[in-house]
């Protein structure tokens, strides 16, 4: 294989077939993003190194058993996140007495996303209060809400991909009862804080 | 692109990937599009400017210094792990007492992963043997839901595959996770079983982690309602139980019951091993059987011989040996060829038959579970025993 493969599906298929160059291309294209994401979940560099190492070794070893993948980055993020949660909860011996019904595995995992007020944003005096209020609201978000913001704006992933990564189901084939729907709204309610109306239409739900 | 840029709100812009890309990356050619939009209609200008400001603030979070981890360094360790078929594998030492001691190091043999079976067909020739091979085990299991319906996990796609009451079952490659989305009232029992040649991982609704070896099973409720957490197993299962003082966790394996508060331990209850072993790595468990009980500390092992119902405790066991399977390798420690035969036959789904006298002697080594059968047997053969693969049968001779 001489040149990089631009089509994600084709790249994944080529990798699954055993092509080592395709495997390296996947690594090259996604390492930085995985590292960035990892450093938001933990400060432990050894843990991040291990998690990324284990992720790539695991997908290579299991390549013939893997399914088709539309977005390679989203797939890698899903696997990395699961692996992180296992490692982090094992390291910290997380006491899981009360589980958050919406996020049973990651209740205690923080997310590093910190905002500060930059004067350059404040072009008019009238904006000062709005900017300050917004920065404060952002900093007060829960770790999972911050993670959703990060995945949508920093990694540019879609709602479906974010839901998959974080283990929330939005597949139309499952009837979401009222409680699950509330949970989803609560998680996406970051947008309410930022004065935005939630467009649930854009997410395929079946009620 | 033109479809929705009429009468849009700031809110919509903030969820529009195209808008986000423009503000983030300031691509020159897109500027024209957005500038024109802003100029065409004053309300547009206001929405776009306001949304752009909010987006800029959202994107302004403190950045981390990613130079602390080298891309090349991690790649090198990935390559090394792949080409030596598994990470954290110690060099292998083989000793066969019956013959002269021959010590062989595995690393220089250049073993590599081959998860597909390799059958090289050759034209019929009485002097040339057909080379046969068997692939190692993989992530295979069957899930049985409370209503009796079954799902074959090997061929199911990733994502949420079923629900049981208020619990959703999610699959990612070789692992299932039970996520409770609400309080359940009834106990819906599920069973996951691995075939010979299979293995699987599972996260229970309380966060406890479970690893199933080949030819094993676990029966458990989709959500833990009630005052206790009870599961039943067959075969070999490793647990990392989530701590919950209010709800003790009990594992039943044959006539041995292991009661835990929160801990890491391995239970080996294969019937053909003749003994049920529970090895404790961390935490504390109480083992009960037929009126006897023993409290284990980390590094201890409880043994139950079903035939005489004798429960004994052993101190300072090699815990690595008990959980090597979960970490991806075989751990042969003073093992007879029959011990090896039983473990290998479960993982590769083959049978072992002995031609003539069963070779005596003891065997030591830690080969990877990812090797194809022929490669594994070649390693064992170096110590002087003869092993031949015929279809799904391994013939052992001296």
């Amino acid at each position: 294989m001489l040149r990089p493969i631009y089509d994600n599906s084709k790249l994944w298929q080529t990798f699954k077939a055993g092509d080592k160059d395709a495997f390296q291309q996947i690594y090259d294209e996604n390492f930085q993003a995985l590292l960035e994401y990892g450093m938001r979940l933990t400060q432990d560099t050894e843990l991040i190194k291990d998690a990324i190492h284990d992720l790539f070794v695991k997908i290579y070893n299991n390549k013939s058993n893997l399914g088709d993948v539309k977005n390679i980055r989203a797939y890698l993020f899903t696997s990395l996140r699961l692996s992180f949660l296992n490692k982090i909860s094992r390291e910290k011996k997380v006491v899981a007495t009360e589980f958050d019904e919406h996020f049973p595995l990651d209740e205690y995992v923080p997310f590093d996303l910190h905002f500060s007020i930059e004067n350059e944003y404040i072009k008019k005096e009238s904006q000062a209060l709005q900017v300050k209020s917004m920065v404060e609201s952002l900093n007060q978000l829960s770790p999972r809400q911050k993670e959703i913001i990060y995945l949508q704006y920093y990694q540019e992933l879609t709602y479906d991909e974010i839901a998959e990564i974080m283990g929330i189901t939005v597949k139309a084939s499952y009837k979401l009862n009222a409680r699950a729907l509330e949970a989803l709204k609560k998680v996406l309610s970051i947008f309410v804080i930022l004065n935005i109306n939630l467009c649930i239409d854009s997410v395929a739900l079946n009620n | 692109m033109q479809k929705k840029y009429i009468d849009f709100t700031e809110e919509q812009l903030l969820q529009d990937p195209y808008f986000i890309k423009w503000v983030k990356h300031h691509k020159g050619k897109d500027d024209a599009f957005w500038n024109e939009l802003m100029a065409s209609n004053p309300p547009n200008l206001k929405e776009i400017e306001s949304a752009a400001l909010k987006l800029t603030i959202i994107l302004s979070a403190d950045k981390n210094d990613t130079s602390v981890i080298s891309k090349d360094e991690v790649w090198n360790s990935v390559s090394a792990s792949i080409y030596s078929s598994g990470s954290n594998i110690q060099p292998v030492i083989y000793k066969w007492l019956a013959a002269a001691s021959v010590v062989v190091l595995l690393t220089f043999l250049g073993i590599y992963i081959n998860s597909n079976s390799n059958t090289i067909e050759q034209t019929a020739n009485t002097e040339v043997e057909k080379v046969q091979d068997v692939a190692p085990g993989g992530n295979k299991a069957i899930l049985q839901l409370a209503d009796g319906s079954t799902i074959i996990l090997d061929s199911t796609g990733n994502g949420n595959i079923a629900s049981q009451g208020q619990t959703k079952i999610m699959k990612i490659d070789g692992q299932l996770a039970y996520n409770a989305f609400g309080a359940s009232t009834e106990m819906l029992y599920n069973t996951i079983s691995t075939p010979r040649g299979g293995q699987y991982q599972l996260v229970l609704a309380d966060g406890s982690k479970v690893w199933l070896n080949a030819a094993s099973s676990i029966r458990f409720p989709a959500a833990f309602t009630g005052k206790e957490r009870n599961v039943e197993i067959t075969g070999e299962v490793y647990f990392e139980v989530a701590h919950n003082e209010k709800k003790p966790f009990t594992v039943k394996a044959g006539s041995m019951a292991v009661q835990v508060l929160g801990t890491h331990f391995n239970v080996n209850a294969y019937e053909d091993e003749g003994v049920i072993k529970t090895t404790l790595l961390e935490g504390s468990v109480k083992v009960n059987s037929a009126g006897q009980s023993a409290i284990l500390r980390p590094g201890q092992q409880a043994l139950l011989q079903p035939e005489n119902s004798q429960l004994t405790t052993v101190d300072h066991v090699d815990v690595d040996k008990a959980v090597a399977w979960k970490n991806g390798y075989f751990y042969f420690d003073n093992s007879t060829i029959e011990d090896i035969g039983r473990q290998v036959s479960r993982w590769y789904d083959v049978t072992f038959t002995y031609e003539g006298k069963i070779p005596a002697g003891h065997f030591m080594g830690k080969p990877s579970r990812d090797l194809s059968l022929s490669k594994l047997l070649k390693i064992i053969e170096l110590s002087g025993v003869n092993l031949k693969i015929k279809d799904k049968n391994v013939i052992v001779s001296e």
Side-chain angles (χ1 to χ4, degrees), chain B residues 77-89:
Chain B
S77 64
V78 170
S79 299
S81 296
I82 287 169
Y83 302 131
S84 63
S85 62
S87 49
N88 302 326
I89 303 299

Side-chain angles (χ1 to χ4, degrees), chain A residues 20 23-24 27-29 31-32 35-36 39-40 43 45-46 48-49 52-54 56-67 75 78-79 82 85-86 89-90 93-102 104-105 112-116 118 121 127 130-131 134-135 138 149 152-156 159 164-165 167-171 174-177 179-180 183 191 194-199 202, chain B residues 10-12 14-17 20-21 24-25 49-50 53-79 81-83 85-87 113 115-116 138-139 154 158-163 165-166 168-175 177-183 201 203-209 211 240 242-246 264 282 326 370:
Chain A
K20 296 203 177 82
F23 177 58
Q24 184 157 8
Y27 177 86
D28 286 337
E29 288 177 358
F31 175 81
Q32 195 59 27
L35 174 55
E36 239 277 307
M39 293 189 79
R40 301 278 174 190
Q43 295 308 309
T45 47
E46 283 312 305
I48 299 175
K49 264 198 248 180
I52 297 179
H53 165 277
D54 291 355
F56 280 93
V57 170
K58 185 170 158 220
I59 65 168
Y60 187 85
N61 288 353
N62 291 326
K63 56 189 174 317
S64 43
N65 291 334
L66 300 176
Y75 173 80
T78 308
S79 293
L82 209 66
L85 295 184
N86 287 336
S89 63
R90 193 181 309 158
K93 295 183 189 1
V94 168
V95 175
T97 48
E98 300 288 329
F99 276 96
D100 181 326
E101 59 193 16
H102 314 309
L105 293 178
D112 175 31
L113 203 63
H114 184 261
F115 303 86
S116 33
E118 307 286 334
Y121 300 145
Q127 277 183 342
Q130 184 197 28
V131 170
M134 183 162 167
V135 168
L138 284 170
I149 291 274
Q152 183 176 15
Y153 292 101
Y154 287 72
Q155 295 292 349
E156 293 178 48
Y159 278 135
E164 188 74 45
I165 290 168
I168 322 163
T169 176
V170 288
K171 279 196 157 57
Y174 291 103
K175 236 172 40 171
L176 285 186
N177 57 31
R179 281 192 85 157
F191 296 114
L194 294 180
N195 243 345
I196 300 163
N197 291 324
L198 186 59
C199 303
S202 63
Chain B
E10 185 187 324
E11 292 86 278
Q12 287 169 316
L14 279 166
Q15 293 176 64
D16 177 19
I20 296 170
K21 272 188 169 56
K24 268 181 93 172
H25 309 291
E49 275 185 349
S50 180
L53 171 64
K54 286 200 169 132
L55 191 48
T56 309
I57 296 174
I58 291 175
L59 290 167
S60 72
D62 298 343
K63 303 240 183 302
N64 287 315
D65 177 16
T66 53
S67 67
V68 293
I69 294 181
S70 150
K71 180 177 177 185
D72 290 336
E73 186 196 317
V74 177
W75 175 250
N76 288 337
S77 64
V78 170
S79 299
S81 296
I82 287 169
Y83 302 131
S85 62
S87 49
I113 289 176
S115 57
N116 298 315
N139 296 325
D154 337 348
N158 286 337
N160 282 295
I161 60 171
S163 38
Q166 302 287 331
K168 298 249 184 288
I169 306 172
M170 171 141 163
K171 172 190 183 270
I172 292 183
D173 298 330
Q175 188 183 86
Y178 277 65
N179 297 324
F181 272 75
Q201 280 183 47
V203 180
L204 303 174
D206 67 340
S208 297
K209 299 175 190 97
W211 282 254
E240 287 185 358
H243 191 86
N244 185 344
E245 278 170 18
K246 305 181 203 146
H264 301 184
E282 257 183 57
K326 165 211 160 242
D370 252 322

